[in-house]
Amino acid sequence: MSDEIKVSVVEFGDRSCYQLQYRDPITGRKKTKSSGVDRDGSKRARAAAEREAGTWEKQLREGTYQPKSKMSWQGFRDRYANEKLSGLAEATAWRVEGVFDAMEKSINPQRLADVTADRLSYHFAELRTRGLAENTIAAHVCHLKAALRWAADLGLIHKVPKLVKPHRAIQTMKGRPITGEEFDRLLAKVPSIVGDKVAEHWCHLLRGLWLSGLRLSEAHALGWEERHGLHVDLSGEFPMMRIPAEMEKGHKHRHLPITPDFAELLLKVPKDQRKGHVFNPLSKRGWRVTKHQMGVIICAMGKAAGIKVNTTTKLGKESVKFASAHDLRRSFGERWASRVMPQVLKELMRHESIETTLNFYVGRNAQTTARTIWAQYGNGNTSGNSAPGEQQKLAQTPQK
């Protein structure tokens, strides 16, 4: 029956372009769409419209024609937010909304069908022009691909446009682990930032971040009682933390072992004071600060201590990043990377993928790795206390 389809070029007085039209052999109704060719009366324009008619006719007969989605871009965003993002972690939903906002700034799609491969390629080039890192652009690609796959699965679009994968970026930390000396400097600057009255509360928080590897949101939420959701559990053989799925980045209920040094910090708190939140960073007026304020204040401490953890150049302007709460987490990861196997470190850091652990912590510091190797070698050899240069000399000395 598809052989009965015949597409013709027609002209309507109220249309600026030649129209393409055929009669559906099943319903008997005429179906019309624009050829996209301006109706200027020239033979060249008419011939171009005829070619468009032939192409459409071939697609209809072969069953490969796929009409463009008529869904508006805003309609898609609203539906994706209600049906998909509402089931994800709040932070993830917030990031996806940011990805959509960035794309609108570049290509401003009016319909979902306007999000094409060539326009997305232009958008990613724009992100590079704005100075975004390749890792960040790769994250944009992943979020957009997931959204468009969801649209295709629901039939909102016929296929996912091809997204050009960015050049593989070198995986680097946005900051770095800070040293023990830098951590002492950080503690010393606490009174000058928050005042003497509440300084001890903040020092307790910083020590907790240093010893636990907790994310900022986790440290802010951690409580002594089960009602807090994320809470300390001292009832078993070893101190543990319980993390509910809704508060965990990997979206899984977890029992998390507490490292001995962090457990010692917690057990120093008298039993009658183990109520409410474990950490209570207070403002100068005595109010418990929000998670956002907590992060800003710790960054101010890092800047006051002069702890530079990264320097980048964007659009010709140098930007310095000072120590933040997450750099304390990085320090925790680096310290324990030399003590435990990668799989154990993955659990301590609560990484969703072992690749993250391997990329950022295992083998990151060649000097630390070399020191560990030489120390282990020295434990089993009479020449173990010699420096590397002396080892070479000893190897060349004839043994008696």
Side-chain angles (χ1 to χ4, degrees):
M1 188 170 289
S2 61
D3 294 340
E4 300 177 18
I5 296 176
K6 177 64 178 177
V7 178
S8 303
V9 177
V10 297
E11 299 182 44
F12 297 128
D14 60 343
R15 304 288 177 88
S16 61
C17 293
Y18 289 106
Q19 303 297 302
L20 309 180
Q21 189 177 85
Y22 76 96
R23 187 180 296 278
D24 190 311
I26 298 177
T27 65
R29 295 179 180 178
K30 290 182 178 180
K31 295 191 176 182
T32 307
K33 78 165 190 170
S34 173
S35 68
V37 180
D38 289 336
R39 189 165 58 91
D40 60 8
S42 68
K43 290 183 178 181
R44 179 179 295 178
R46 179 75 188 194
E50 293 288 355
R51 287 195 294 272
E52 290 295 324
T55 299
W56 192 28
E57 181 177 301
K58 181 181 178 182
Q59 292 173 341
L60 290 168
R61 289 187 175 189
E62 294 177 349
T64 59
Y65 173 65
Q66 297 176 338
K68 289 186 176 181
S69 170
K70 295 182 179 180
M71 170 170 273
S72 70
W73 168 251
Q74 188 58 52
F76 166 73
R77 277 198 65 165
D78 293 341
R79 184 168 178 182
Y80 193 64
N82 292 332
E83 298 180 24
K84 182 65 176 181
L85 297 184
S86 60
L88 302 179
E90 184 179 350
T92 302
W94 179 81
R95 281 194 293 271
V96 174
E97 293 288 359
V99 168
F100 288 163
D101 290 341
M103 188 184 69
E104 289 177 7
K105 187 176 181 180
S106 294
I107 63 177
N108 191 28
Q110 299 302 303
R111 297 180 304 161
L112 179 58
D114 293 338
V115 184
T116 59
D118 59 331
R119 298 186 78 179
L120 286 171
S121 179
Y122 171 81
H123 166 55
F124 298 140
E126 280 288 294
L127 295 181
R128 290 188 182 90
T129 302
R130 296 179 204 169
L132 270 70
E134 289 299 321
N135 288 338
T136 304
I137 296 173
H140 280 241
V141 172
C142 290
H143 285 306
L144 286 171
K145 184 178 290 186
L148 293 171
R149 281 177 177 169
W150 182 83
D153 289 342
L154 268 62
L156 304 179
I157 55 176
H158 294 287
K159 65 178 182 178
V160 179
K162 185 176 181 180
L163 278 72
V164 179
K165 187 177 181 180
H167 297 296
R168 185 174 181 180
I170 298 174
Q171 297 288 319
T172 57
M173 293 183 179
K174 294 179 181 178
R176 65 167 174 80
I178 68 174
T179 65
E181 183 272 334
E182 288 173 328
F183 181 63
D184 291 338
R185 282 160 48 194
L186 188 67
L187 290 174
K189 290 297 180 180
V190 171
S192 65
I193 300 298
V194 298
D196 292 330
K197 290 185 178 180
V198 297
E200 187 51 40
H201 291 278
W202 285 91
C203 287
H204 182 59
L205 168 66
L206 292 177
R207 292 188 184 99
L209 292 171
W210 173 262
L211 297 174
S212 68
L214 287 170
R215 299 180 177 92
L216 193 64
S217 58
E218 296 166 344
H220 190 266
L222 184 64
W224 287 108
E225 298 107 344
E226 189 174 353
R227 63 183 177 87
H228 288 278
L230 174 61
H231 65 284
V232 176
D233 183 2
L234 302 177
S235 61
E237 181 181 0
F238 298 102
M240 306 281 281
M241 280 192 300
R242 292 177 181 267
I243 303 180
E246 59 270 18
M247 298 186 68
E248 213 281 322
K249 190 174 181 180
H251 310 298
K252 298 178 181 178
H253 293 288
R254 288 186 188 269
H255 266 165
L256 180 69
I258 293 176
T259 55
D261 47 3
F262 182 45
E264 288 177 6
L265 180 73
L266 295 175
L267 293 172
K268 286 180 182 178
V269 178
K271 290 185 178 180
D272 60 347
Q273 295 181 24
R274 296 174 190 172
K275 300 176 182 178
H277 290 98
V278 172
F279 303 110
N280 284 290
L282 304 178
S283 67
K284 292 181 179 180
R285 296 185 178 182
W287 297 99
R288 189 172 192 266
V289 301
T290 65
K291 177 185 69 176
H292 174 73
Q293 291 169 332
M294 188 164 77
V296 170
I297 292 171
I298 293 176
C299 285
M301 295 172 184
K303 185 174 183 179
I307 307 171
K308 298 180 181 180
V309 295
N310 198 10
T311 302
T312 56
T313 302
K314 291 185 179 180
L315 302 178
K317 185 177 180 181
E318 187 176 85
S319 176
V320 176
K321 181 183 182 300
F322 292 94
S324 67
H326 206 76
D327 295 311
L328 298 178
R329 172 173 162 81
R330 293 184 175 106
S331 301
F332 170 87
E334 184 178 68
R335 291 197 309 275
W336 282 95
S338 61
R339 303 179 185 180
V340 297
M341 295 297 289
Q343 189 61 41
V344 176
L345 183 62
K346 172 183 176 292
E347 295 301 315
L348 285 175
M349 299 297 291
R350 297 173 312 289
H351 289 149
E352 189 171 356
S353 169
I354 188 65
E355 293 300 322
T356 304
T357 311
L358 295 173
N359 287 337
F360 289 116
Y361 294 99
V362 180
R364 189 197 73 86
N365 191 325
Q367 187 65 30
T368 301
T369 304
R371 187 178 296 113
T372 302
I373 293 171
W374 281 95
Q376 291 298 322
Y377 178 71
N379 288 337
N381 293 272
T382 58
S383 58
N385 292 326
S386 303
E390 294 174 331
Q391 292 281 358
Q392 191 174 22
K393 295 177 182 177
L394 287 170
Q396 297 171 353
T397 303
Q399 299 296 314
K400 295 181 178 180

